[in-house]
Amino acid sequence: MRFSLRGRALPDAPLVMAIVNRTPDSFYDRGATFAWEAALRRVDQAVSAGADIVDIGGVKAGPGDEVSVAEETDRVVAIVAEVRSRHPNLIISVDTWRHEVAREVCEVGADLLNDTWGGADPLLAEVAAEYGAGLVCAHAGGQSPRTRPHRVEYDDVVADVILRTTALAERAVALGVPKHSVLIDPAHDFGKNTWHSLEVTRRIGEMVGTGWPVLVSLSNKDFIGESLDLPVDERLYGTLAATALCAWEGARVFRVHEVAQTRQVLDMMAVLRGDRSPARAVRGLA
């Protein structure tokens, strides 16, 4: 399925989505891009490093201090407007599950709504439809926003992921979200233990096989840390290994902290798959 956002066709190639956290307590960067100028520098650096999309979020995914709708709106709307002004052609995504925030960011130029909590607010898809924005339909296993899984069980986690995400995608299209602007996301670690996230990664090709473009958010996740027994700031190589596997299987969008390293992995996987030519090839020919 081709992928487009607000009438703009995207390249038929893996895309890098750079994470920009406007939060003081994010699990990975611990508030490094919370300040206004720091967030804008992060956007500029990500674009220079090869990001196709920036994903701006105003609420930490995990448990933490309560963030009201008004506070989340204050954290993300103005920065979206500024990024749109600075980078007119950049694809801007906003990580939110709240329809009130979604409406405000769409008003100032967001192209994509990244609903990581699996339709917890059913009105969010209606906002996407109203504005012609794209939508990420994620699997959270029925968990409420900002909660951690505890002894969750699935008969077949991949089957559950596919069932829930494709149902959300089909509902979004029925509401009027452009079909070519909808992605599905297994949401590694959301509503899942490490075994579940590993199983989803191994079988990501089954999600690709649904025909919906697949987004994966692997970057420095706990399933990588637990697999390798590494803290959050030492998970890059594990992340890149999982990235390579998902790229080989056909995942389309990669939400990441480390843009340049991910861009190289995706470009190399595209060359190995035969989807693009080497940047130069002179060995044995010159």
Side-chain angles (χ1 to χ4, degrees):
M1 183 186 296
R2 66 183 178 86
F3 180 37
S4 63
L5 287 169
R6 290 199 167 184
R8 289 181 292 165
L10 279 76
D12 187 18
L15 304 175
V16 176
M17 172 188 276
I19 299 167
V20 181
N21 290 315
R22 285 228 69 206
T23 57
D25 53 356
S26 49
F27 90 99
Y28 180 68
D29 60 35
R30 300 174 179 85
T33 57
F34 180 47
W36 176 265
E37 289 298 334
L40 292 175
R41 282 196 301 273
R42 164 65 176 164
V43 171
D44 293 342
Q45 291 165 356
V47 171
S48 296
D52 304 286
I53 308 168
V54 295
D55 187 47
I56 299 170
V59 182
K60 176 185 176 182
D65 293 341
E66 176 66 23
V67 179
S68 67
V69 171
E71 176 63 20
E72 184 183 358
T73 300
D74 185 62
R75 290 179 181 183
V76 298
V77 174
I79 202 83
V80 169
E82 180 64 22
V83 171
R84 173 54 67 222
S85 175
R86 292 189 180 205
H87 300 279
N89 298 317
L90 179 65
I91 298 168
I92 302 174
S93 170
V94 174
D95 180 355
T96 186
W97 76 89
R98 290 164 161 162
H99 76 275
E100 301 96 335
V101 177
R103 180 177 298 280
E104 295 294 328
V105 296
C106 285
E107 282 282 353
V108 296
D111 303 294
L112 180 65
L113 299 174
N114 183 13
D115 179 13
T116 55
W117 288 104
D121 180 348
L123 296 179
L124 188 141
E126 296 182 16
V127 173
E130 179 182 348
Y131 286 89
L135 182 66
V136 178
C137 298
H139 177 274
Q143 298 262 149
S144 298
R146 307 194 68 194
T147 58
R148 296 195 189 281
H150 179 69
R151 301 189 183 279
V152 292
E153 295 183 4
Y154 301 95
D155 291 336
D156 182 331
V157 64
V158 176
D160 197 83
V161 166
I162 290 174
L163 179 67
R164 291 180 188 252
T165 58
T166 57
L168 289 169
E170 288 162 4
R171 174 181 181 269
V173 172
L175 289 170
V177 180
K179 186 173 184 178
H180 296 121
S181 301
V182 177
L183 302 103
I184 60 174
D185 173 11
H188 289 75
D189 284 0
F190 282 57
K192 302 169 189 68
N193 60 32
T194 288
W195 297 112
H196 295 142
S197 291
L198 290 169
E199 181 75 5
V200 168
T201 307
R202 282 191 291 267
R203 296 169 59 190
I204 200 71
E206 294 177 41
M207 288 194 73
V208 174
T210 66
W212 296 98
V214 174
L215 178 150
V216 289
S217 185
L218 308 164
S219 193
N220 301 296
K221 287 284 182 76
D222 284 345
F223 84 96
I224 293 170
E226 291 189 359
S227 295
L228 302 176
D229 193 20
L230 291 174
V232 69
D233 57 351
E234 296 180 21
R235 299 174 184 176
L236 173 59
Y237 298 126
T239 296
L240 296 179
T243 295
L245 188 155
C246 290
W248 183 261
E249 292 295 330
R252 192 68 187 283
V253 179
F254 296 78
R255 182 177 181 272
V256 301
H257 298 97
E258 289 93 355
V259 173
Q261 297 92 328
T262 303
R263 181 77 272 166
Q264 285 193 25
V265 169
L266 296 180
D267 288 348
M268 189 66 208
M269 295 308 296
V271 173
L272 290 169
R273 282 169 55 101
D275 296 333
R276 60 176 285 174
S277 299
R280 59 192 294 266
V282 298
R283 180 178 172 79
L285 301 175

